[in-house]
Amino acid sequence: MTQAPLNSLETDLASGLLSSVIADIAEEAAQVILPYWRSGTAVETKADASPVTEADRAAEALILTRLAERWPGVEAVAEEAAAADGTPERVGEWFWLIDPLDGTKGFVQGRESFTVNIALIHGDVPVAGVVTAPATGLTWASTAPGEGAVRRAFGEAWRPIRVRDRASDGTALLSHSLTDEEATRLAARHGCIQWQGMDSSLKFCLIAEGRFDAYPRTGPTSEWDTAAGQAVLEAAGGRVLGEDGRRLTYRKPGFLNGPFTAMGG
């Protein structure tokens, strides 16, 4: 890897330009995905029994191309490439984590809460991230380090977002895979008396903009499922903690997460 791309990457990160560029890339990927949504597109099953469609692959190809054009030589770990070829044994100090279509099950079923996730990792923490929801035309992003988080509708200006203080009747966002009994018990364990089921990294973003309070996760996830959402939520004043009570970190073996809790104020 040459030094010039890293210098450009660090400069673009510090100025906030990096988040702006990857937001544009994520929204371009959204336009690739949308024609497949609710169109009866074919669904295949990967080795881990999760679904994949041509929309996943087409969006990932576009994202990888655009990132390489802008920041050549910076490594990328992307979901569909990892499914086909395996995850790398090691990566450099800087690398991308990409989920081109998070929430494929909901996407296939016609639900709206699927997302495009692009995150930049430095060391073992996400330092920039963008989440785009193609169906609703919304994008959330971290900004320059220390400058907060923002949201925009496609084609409109950014506006700042911030987590809310936890209310006494807090509401949790939970995976659709839980039963009602499991969800109620898990929400209560994290101080929430209400809960709502939802797909994808959208959960991080809705906490980041102050609409919900917590997202506890007990089931397995991959690092590309969480990195972009974590970057947005942390920039908005929230936290994502592993089961040890410490900040959720990255480049773990197999790029797999254990249980975690994302939370607002």
Side-chain angles (χ1 to χ4, degrees), residues 131-153:
V131 176
T132 287
T136 57
L138 295 172
T139 297
W140 296 261
S142 62
T143 59
E147 297 298 319
V150 290
R151 189 190 87 165
R152 74 181 178 193

Side-chain angles (χ1 to χ4, degrees), residues 56-196:
D56 299 74
R57 297 190 177 106
E60 182 167 298
L62 181 139
I63 292 166
L64 292 172
T65 297
R66 294 288 184 263
L67 293 176
E69 289 170 348
R70 178 77 190 202
W71 298 286
V74 179
E75 297 169 86
V77 179
E79 180 178 20
E80 303 316 327
D85 304 321
T87 56
E89 292 186 4
R90 60 182 61 86
V91 288
E93 182 181 16
W94 298 86
F95 66 99
W96 302 104
L97 275 173
I98 300 160
D99 190 338
L101 205 172
D102 186 25
T104 301
K105 288 181 182 177
F107 170 81
V108 169
Q109 293 169 9
R111 296 200 294 267
E112 293 184 349
S113 52
F114 57 93
T115 56
V116 178
N117 301 339
I118 305 175
L120 177 66
I121 309 299
H122 183 215
D124 62 0
V125 299
V127 293
V130 165
V131 176
T132 287
T136 57
L138 295 172
T139 297
W140 296 261
S142 62
T143 59
E147 297 298 319
V150 290
R151 189 190 87 165
R152 74 181 178 193
F154 290 4
E156 297 185 8
W158 293 107
R159 68 171 184 84
I161 57 173
R162 184 79 184 168
V163 298
R164 70 184 183 188
D165 292 335
R166 175 73 66 88
S168 59
D169 59 345
T171 303
L173 290 168
L174 301 171
S175 170
H176 275 301
S177 63
L178 297 173
T179 66
D180 287 356
E181 182 180 353
E182 290 170 332
T184 299
R185 186 168 58 247
L186 185 59
R189 190 187 309 163
H190 292 274
C192 295
I193 65 170
Q194 304 174 76
W195 62 271
Q196 182 174 322

Side-chain angles (χ1 to χ4, degrees), residues 33-41 106-112 114 135:
I33 290 168
L34 281 172
Y36 295 95
W37 183 46
R38 296 176 174 172
S39 69
T41 188
F107 170 81
V108 169
Q109 293 169 9
R111 296 200 294 267
E112 293 184 349
F114 57 93

